Amino acid sequence: PADYYEMKAAVKAIAAYNGPVYVRLGRLAIETINDESYQFELGKGVTLRDGKDITIVATGLMVAEAIEAGKMLEEKGIDARIINIHTIKPLDEQLVCKAAQETGKIITVEEHSVIGGLGDAVCAAVNVGSNGCQVVKMGVHDVYGHSGPGGDLITEFGLRAANIVEEALKLL
């Protein structure tokens, strides 16, 4: 979940779900992007900002960084679509594929290994290479993880808004 309200709504949704569920929670205090009215639906992503030039698909703690990156890109004249994917399995393939078709460029952002996570799920959904969509996966790149202050680790692994902007500019 991207914030307190999404976590609260997710817990209610999974309590009502009949089957196994895995929820990954971050430990950092993060900005609130939702409010009490937020509705969580398993397998349905949320478009937080529409855009035509590039799509940033983020999950969990990285959603706030993606939103900030979108603002920074806007200052540079780049119209970035921001999507919150709170459920990786099942992935909202319809939303992701629509973004792939409309922008042709996707950056996935996760504070998790890029192997077997959001980035791989998005690549599988858009069938990278066959439709001309380019995807850049930002996350932990096949290195042994370690502990430390959460904010420092996000910086160390290059997952700040400024890093997302840098990748977007390269991709564009």
Side-chain angles (χ1 to χ4, degrees):
D3 68 4
Y4 166 80
Y5 293 109
E6 189 167 68
M7 184 269 310
K8 187 175 173 183
V11 170
K12 288 179 182 178
I14 63 175
Y17 180 75
N18 184 17
V21 177
Y22 169 77
V23 179
R24 185 170 185 267
L25 300 175
R27 58 187 165 113
L28 292 178
I30 53 176
E31 290 184 40
T32 299
I33 59 173
N34 298 295
D35 60 26
E36 283 288 341
S37 66
Y38 179 77
Q39 297 293 311
F40 182 95
E41 188 176 347
L42 286 169
K44 292 294 178 189
V46 181
T47 300
L48 300 173
R49 183 180 194 277
D50 205 11
K52 63 179 175 23
D53 297 326
I54 192 166
T55 301
I56 302 169
V57 179
T59 190
L61 300 175
M62 297 296 92
V63 174
E65 294 291 335
I67 292 168
E68 183 61 28
K71 293 174 187 173
M72 294 165 72
L73 287 165
E74 184 176 31
E75 291 173 5
K76 296 179 180 300
I78 297 167
D79 193 18
R81 182 176 306 188
I82 311 295
I83 297 176
N84 172 11
I85 293 289
H86 52 65
T87 308
I88 296 174
K89 185 176 180 182
L91 181 74
D92 190 341
E93 292 185 5
Q94 182 179 8
L95 181 64
V96 169
C97 289
K98 181 175 187 268
Q101 290 170 351
E102 293 176 359
T103 69
K105 293 171 181 28
I106 295 176
I107 296 175
T108 63
V109 190
E110 57 194 311
E111 38 88 44
H112 178 275
S113 173
V114 295
I115 299 168
L118 174 65
D120 277 357
V122 168
C123 285
V126 301
N127 198 12
V128 172
S130 69
N131 67 3
C133 181
Q134 296 173 284
V135 178
V136 171
K137 298 186 287 186
M138 294 183 70
V140 180
H141 286 273
D142 203 21
V143 296
Y144 185 75
H146 53 274
S147 295
D152 292 349
L153 292 172
I154 289 171
T155 300
E156 178 182 336
F157 287 109
L159 298 173
R160 293 289 181 194
N163 304 112
I164 299 169
V165 169
E166 185 179 322
E167 288 299 325
L169 294 174
K170 286 182 202 173
L171 192 55
L172 290 166

